[in-house]
Amino acid sequence: MLGKTALSTLCASRQAPITLAARGIANIPAHEYHIRFDQKVGRKRPAQDVLDRFKRLNNGMWIHAHPGRHKLRYMKDETWQKTSLYYETCTKEQCEILDKLMTPYWLRPKHYPNDPYSAYNVRHNVTSPRVDDRGNFVRERKKVLMDDSTSKRFFKDC
Amino acid sequence: MSAAQYARLVPKKYRSKTLPKIDRPWRPRVIAWAGPAAFYPNRFYEVDKWYKARIDKPEKLPEMHIIEPAEHMKSLKVLMQKSEIEQINIGFKRREVAGKAEKSAEDRIELERKSRHMQLKIDIDHLDVENLSIYRHFQVFDHLFGDNIFFENVQNLQVNFENDIVVHSGNVITANSTLKRPEITIESVGNGGGFNTLLMINLDGNALDLGKNGEIVQWMISNIPDGEAISAGSEIIDYLQPLPFYGTGYHRVAFVLFRHEKPVDFQIQGNSLDTRIHEISKFYKKHEATITPSAIRFFQTSYDNSVKMALHGLGMTSPLYEYEHRPALKPAQREFPEKPQPFDLYLDMYRDPKEVEQEMLEKRLAEVKLDYVKEPKWVDTDYVENKKKLPAWLHAKKLERDGVGHAKYHNDL
């Protein structure tokens, strides 16, 4: 009895609220700063801004370059010319926030051949609650070793 | 001008009431909301905090100097002179030199003519080159006998090692040249009597951990009759070459000649290296009534391979010493620094020194080649590309000269 146009109109009106209610990357609230569960992947998504601007050493320290260090250098004094090229450490609060914005993959220690950062990936004489009684950093999550078939079956997206 | 004078020049009456009593004619009327920028004459003005204090800036008076009332008559040169400590002469008085004849006028004219024609020859061997200030500079007297002690060279003492190496006042002789005992020539006093005793002392050789103070006696020959060779004396301590250990730098080795009228029985031994350690000041104090120092010579020597061979001959291994620098002063390490720090410089401060040395040695071994090594002309041949690609801290590490480049060409590998 009902026509084709009426049926399509009814379905379209029903789907509209679902599309509008979905959260995109632009609609993240400021107090969260990161996506807990991506709607496509179904798991946490690292903040791309952090990956673009910061680097994490294997001891949990984050370092970053100075913003604007390539702009208008000729107008600035000698001290700024020198110190603007430093890669500086982040404070404790910033490191905690940056750790929250990352997925466990990026928090894992990574080793590269001929890594210039290899000498700085370890800390000497640091005693803090982040270090357990065996001297390991608590927050550093080791990779679980498993066979290839199991990893392909359950962790193909790692 | 003062504030009162300025207030008289202001045409309107209300300004003189509200102005504070400071010398700031350009201060605007509105103060409360304007902020510090309102008090600058222009934007290049230096910020001066005293504008808010409502008091005048304190005047800095020039520094005054204290003048001693009892010494105001003395000149500055007199006041600046250091007081000279009295030196104690424990040796003999210097002999009168045969009178140096004054040159006559004809001789002076003849000498000047020869000098002009480059025919004047000076016999250097006959010049008097004795200078005790070298011994004072190297503290030979202080370390042998005590502070403020000296004595004159009244007997000509000649010490010749092989290959015609002569011991003067502090010249450097290699340890390889001191393997054999030197030839000693002692000038005779001419009285026909008396005896000489020769000691060869290494002032800096006591580097063993034996807890004994003193110097190492390398050689001792006592009771040498005056005018005869040293073989006529009795050799109490056998000759041992000076042993400057690796890393201990230059050692001062002194030849001290003592003179005495009668034969003296010195109760002193020197069979092994540890029994050779004696305090010369105590030795001299013990025999002070009998012996008097009459001549001294010293040279300097440092480590080479013959020292190692000599130590192996004694049944010892060659000890290696190095300078122990004081630890660098660093702030306490924080897991997360409160202020941003350059991470490479901050973490390099607290790295293990052994790890740093190992890294440096690996770099040296990677770059040292067996063929002829020449320092490169450019520190970074690919500067433009590296400046773009590398992070700035890595490029700075590549460009530094005192790390890899300096150590590569200034090490003993």
Coordinates of all heavy atoms in Angstrom, one line a residue, chain A residues 55-59 63 87 110 112 114-122, chain B residues 343-344 347 390-394:
Chain A
K55 N 58.6 13.5 22.1 CA 59.2 12.2 22.0 C 59.4 11.6 23.4 O 59.7 12.4 24.3 CB 60.6 12.3 21.4 CG 61.3 10.9 21.3 CD 62.6 11.0 20.6 CE 63.4 9.7 20.8 NZ 62.7 8.5 20.3
R56 N 59.1 10.3 23.5 CA 59.2 9.7 24.8 C 60.5 8.8 24.9 O 60.7 8.0 24.0 CB 58.0 8.8 25.1 CG 57.9 8.3 26.5 CD 56.6 7.5 26.7 NE 56.2 7.4 28.1 CZ 56.6 6.4 28.9 NH1 57.4 5.5 28.4 NH2 56.2 6.4 30.1
L57 N 61.3 9.1 25.9 CA 62.4 8.2 26.1 C 62.0 6.9 26.9 O 60.9 6.9 27.5 CB 63.5 8.9 26.9 CG 64.0 10.2 26.3 CD1 65.0 10.9 27.3 CD2 64.7 10.0 25.0
N58 N 62.9 5.9 26.9 CA 62.5 4.7 27.5 C 62.4 4.7 29.0 O 61.9 3.8 29.6 CB 63.5 3.6 27.1 CG 63.3 3.2 25.6 OD1 62.4 3.6 25.0 ND2 64.2 2.4 25.1
N59 N 62.9 5.8 29.6 CA 62.8 5.9 31.0 C 61.6 6.7 31.5 O 61.5 7.1 32.6 CB 64.0 6.5 31.6 CG 64.4 7.8 30.9 OD1 63.5 8.5 30.4 ND2 65.7 8.1 30.8
I63 N 60.4 14.6 26.0 CA 61.2 15.7 25.5 C 60.4 16.4 24.4 O 59.7 15.7 23.6 CB 62.6 15.4 25.1 CG1 62.6 14.3 24.0 CG2 63.4 14.8 26.3 CD1 64.0 14.0 23.5
Y87 N 66.4 20.5 23.1 CA 65.2 19.7 23.3 C 65.0 19.5 24.8 O 65.9 19.0 25.5 CB 65.5 18.3 22.7 CG 65.2 18.3 21.2 CD1 65.9 19.1 20.3 CD2 64.3 17.4 20.6 CE1 65.7 19.1 19.0 CE2 64.1 17.4 19.3 CZ 64.8 18.2 18.5 OH 64.6 18.2 17.1
K110 N 61.4 1.1 23.3 CA 61.8 0.8 21.9 C 63.3 0.9 21.7 O 63.9 1.8 22.3 CB 61.0 1.7 21.0 CG 59.5 1.5 21.0 CD 58.8 2.4 20.0 CE 57.4 2.1 20.0 NZ 56.8 2.0 21.3
Y112 N 66.3 0.9 18.7 CA 66.6 1.0 17.3 C 68.1 0.8 17.0 O 68.9 1.1 17.9 CB 66.2 2.4 16.7 CG 64.7 2.8 17.0 CD1 64.4 3.6 18.1 CD2 63.7 2.3 16.2 CE1 63.1 3.9 18.3 CE2 62.4 2.6 16.4 CZ 62.1 3.4 17.5 OH 60.8 3.8 17.7
N114 N 71.7 1.8 16.0 CA 72.4 3.1 15.9 C 71.5 4.3 16.4 O 71.5 5.3 15.8 CB 72.9 3.4 14.5 CG 73.9 2.4 14.1 OD1 74.7 1.9 14.9 ND2 73.9 2.1 12.8
D115 N 70.9 4.0 17.5 CA 70.0 5.0 18.0 C 70.8 6.1 18.8 O 71.5 5.8 19.7 CB 69.0 4.4 19.0 CG 67.9 5.3 19.5 OD1 67.8 6.4 18.8 OD2 67.2 5.0 20.4
P116 N 70.7 7.4 18.4 CA 71.4 8.4 19.1 C 70.9 8.6 20.5 O 71.6 9.2 21.3 CB 71.3 9.6 18.2 CG 70.1 9.4 17.4 CD 70.0 7.9 17.2
Y117 N 69.7 8.2 20.7 CA 69.1 8.4 22.1 C 69.4 7.3 23.0 O 68.9 7.2 24.1 CB 67.6 8.6 22.0 CG 67.1 9.8 21.2 CD1 66.9 9.8 19.8 CD2 66.9 11.0 21.9 CE1 66.5 10.9 19.2 CE2 66.5 12.1 21.2 CZ 66.3 12.0 19.8 OH 65.9 13.2 19.2
S118 N 70.2 6.3 22.6 CA 70.3 5.1 23.4 C 71.0 5.4 24.7 O 70.7 4.8 25.7 CB 71.1 4.0 22.7 OG 72.4 4.6 22.3
A119 N 71.9 6.4 24.7 CA 72.5 6.7 26.0 C 71.6 7.4 27.0 O 71.9 7.4 28.2 CB 73.7 7.6 25.7
Y120 N 70.5 8.0 26.5 CA 69.6 8.7 27.3 C 68.4 8.0 27.7 O 67.5 8.5 28.3 CB 69.3 10.1 26.7 CG 70.5 10.8 26.3 CD1 70.8 11.0 24.9 CD2 71.3 11.4 27.2 CE1 71.9 11.7 24.5 CE2 72.4 12.1 26.8 CZ 72.7 12.2 25.5 OH 73.8 12.9 25.1
N121 N 68.3 6.7 27.3 CA 67.1 5.9 27.6 C 67.1 5.3 28.9 O 66.2 4.7 29.4 CB 66.9 4.8 26.5 CG 66.3 5.4 25.3 OD1 65.4 6.2 25.3 ND2 66.7 4.8 24.1
V122 N 68.2 5.4 29.6 CA 68.4 4.9 31.0 C 68.6 6.0 32.0 O 69.2 7.0 31.6 CB 69.5 3.8 31.0 CG1 69.2 2.6 30.2 CG2 70.8 4.5 30.5
Chain B
F343 N 67.6 18.0 27.6 CA 67.6 16.7 28.1 C 69.0 16.0 28.0 O 69.4 15.3 28.9 CB 66.6 15.8 27.5 CG 67.0 15.2 26.1 CD1 67.4 13.9 26.0 CD2 67.0 16.0 25.0 CE1 67.8 13.4 24.8 CE2 67.4 15.5 23.8 CZ 67.8 14.2 23.7
D344 N 69.7 16.3 26.9 CA 71.0 15.7 26.7 C 72.0 16.2 27.7 O 72.8 15.4 28.3 CB 71.5 15.9 25.3 CG 71.5 17.3 24.9 OD1 70.6 18.0 25.2 OD2 72.5 17.7 24.2
L347 N 70.9 14.9 31.3 CA 71.2 13.5 31.6 C 72.7 13.2 31.5 O 73.2 12.2 32.1 CB 70.4 12.6 30.6 CG 68.9 12.7 30.7 CD1 68.3 11.8 29.7 CD2 68.5 12.2 32.1
L390 N 69.5 16.4 11.1 CA 69.7 15.9 12.4 C 69.0 16.9 13.4 O 68.9 18.0 13.2 CB 71.2 15.9 12.7 CG 72.1 15.0 11.9 CD1 73.5 15.1 12.4 CD2 71.6 13.5 12.1
P391 N 68.6 16.3 14.6 CA 68.2 17.2 15.6 C 69.4 18.1 16.1 O 70.5 17.7 15.9 CB 67.8 16.3 16.8 CG 68.3 15.0 16.4 CD 68.4 14.9 14.9
A392 N 69.0 19.3 16.6 CA 70.1 20.3 16.9 C 71.1 19.8 17.9 O 72.3 20.1 17.8 CB 69.5 21.6 17.3
W393 N 70.6 19.0 18.9 CA 71.6 18.6 19.9 C 72.6 17.5 19.3 O 73.7 17.5 19.7 CB 70.8 18.0 21.1 CG 70.1 16.7 20.8 CD1 68.8 16.6 20.4 CD2 70.6 15.4 20.9 NE1 68.5 15.3 20.2 CE2 69.5 14.5 20.5 CE3 71.8 14.8 21.3 CZ2 69.7 13.1 20.5 CZ3 71.9 13.4 21.3 CH2 70.9 12.6 20.9
L394 N 72.1 16.7 18.4 CA 73.0 15.7 17.8 C 74.0 16.4 16.9 O 75.2 16.0 16.8 CB 72.2 14.7 17.0 CG 72.9 13.5 16.6 CD1 73.5 12.8 17.8 CD2 71.9 12.5 15.8

